[in-house]
Amino acid sequence: NFALSCQFALADKEMFINNPSPFIAGGDRFLLAVLNSKVADYCIRSLGVRRNGGYFENKPMFVENLPIPQLDNAVRRPFETLANYVLVLTINNQKLQSTYFEQLIDGLVYELYFPDEIKASGKELLPHLGELTPLTDDQTVEEKLAGIQHQFDRLYDPRHPVRNHLETLDSVEVVRTIREALNK
């Protein structure tokens, strides 16, 4: 209920929670990606109540005011795939790759909410992603990690436009403004 940043979790199994906790029932990985982004963090903080130590209340009445874009499956798919990558990487303690894919999700969410600003700056990510390897339930952990590593190697290459755009995304005023506000 109290947090320093948005920290939503996926509850894809039946479970009981004895304290107020932000979670997403039903396995909507697109929603998970958006709610854990810097854009959502900024918006929810601006709607919520600040407490001592910089904590804010992550109550449903604040979170439900965040406008979630209604997208077709083709546009949602990269967000879902990247959220799956982060889930697998986090469980398997792959911090570098997990952090990079979280940054990529953030960049895509900026593009989703501020398409004109991102396009005008030439920092679009979605057109340069290419086909992301989906993860399936019948894959072993090793197969999943190998597929994720392949995508990481491709997208983390210093010559790839996705990495270049991510590294310079704060040259876009709205991105810089949000990042600076979150760092206060």
Side-chain angles (χ1 to χ4, degrees), residues 90-101:
T90 300
I91 290 168
N92 289 282
N93 205 22
Q94 303 289 316
K95 188 69 176 158
L96 174 66
Q97 293 91 337
S98 176
T99 299
Y100 183 71
F101 288 124

Side-chain angles (χ1 to χ4, degrees), residues 33-52:
V34 170
L35 288 176
N36 279 321
S37 72
K38 301 288 187 215
V39 172
D41 195 10
Y42 175 79
C43 291
I44 293 168
R45 283 185 198 211
S46 68
L47 298 168
V49 177
R50 283 221 182 260
R51 301 291 183 198
N52 287 340

Side-chain angles (χ1 to χ4, degrees), residues 64-85:
E64 67 191 14
N65 284 314
L66 178 70
I68 304 295
Q70 300 302 308
L71 306 172
D72 63 42
N73 287 338
V75 179
R76 289 172 61 102
R77 196 166 297 118
F79 293 89
E80 295 165 346
T81 300
L82 290 168
N84 281 332
Y85 288 4

Side-chain angles (χ1 to χ4, degrees), residues 5-184:
S5 64
C6 284
Q7 299 175 9
F8 290 86
L10 186 68
D12 60 353
K13 298 177 183 162
E14 291 183 23
M15 60 182 60
F16 294 97
I17 299 173
N18 64 354
N19 286 325
S21 297
F23 69 93
I24 300 160
D28 189 337
R29 283 153 172 80
F30 168 72
L31 185 57
L32 179 68
V34 170
L35 288 176
N36 279 321
S37 72
K38 301 288 187 215
V39 172
D41 195 10
Y42 175 79
C43 291
I44 293 168
R45 283 185 198 211
S46 68
L47 298 168
V49 177
R50 283 221 182 260
R51 301 291 183 198
N52 287 340
Y55 289 89
F56 68 95
E57 286 193 75
N58 211 352
K59 290 186 173 188
M61 64 191 222
F62 305 130
V63 176
E64 67 191 14
N65 284 314
L66 178 70
I68 304 295
Q70 300 302 308
L71 306 172
D72 63 42
N73 287 338
V75 179
R76 289 172 61 102
R77 196 166 297 118
F79 293 89
E80 295 165 346
T81 300
L82 290 168
N84 281 332
Y85 288 4
V86 171
L87 290 168
V88 169
L89 291 166
T90 300
I91 290 168
N92 289 282
N93 205 22
Q94 303 289 316
K95 188 69 176 158
L96 174 66
Q97 293 91 337
S98 176
T99 299
Y100 183 71
F101 288 124
E102 287 171 354
Q103 290 171 351
L104 180 51
I105 291 170
D106 275 338
L108 291 170
V109 174
Y110 282 118
E111 190 172 335
L112 189 63
Y113 280 85
F114 307 104
D116 296 336
E117 292 86 343
I118 299 297
K119 186 172 185 159
S121 69
K123 303 294 180 194
E124 293 174 293
L125 298 167
L126 200 54
H128 301 288
L129 270 184
E131 192 65 32
L132 296 172
T133 306
L135 304 181
T136 62
D137 291 337
D138 61 333
Q139 290 177 311
T140 66
V141 171
E142 291 76 20
E143 290 170 331
K144 289 177 182 180
L145 288 171
I148 294 169
Q149 185 65 46
H150 173 73
Q151 294 302 319
F152 175 78
D153 292 342
R154 180 176 69 84
L155 296 169
Y156 195 69
D157 185 308
R159 298 166 299 202
H160 199 285
V162 166
R163 181 165 176 191
N164 290 321
H165 293 178
L166 275 179
E167 288 179 351
T168 59
L169 200 57
D170 62 352
S171 66
V172 180
E173 186 176 349
V174 68
V175 174
R176 188 174 51 256
T177 300
I178 290 172
R179 288 180 176 174
E180 287 173 358
L182 291 174
N183 287 331
K184 288 183 181 178

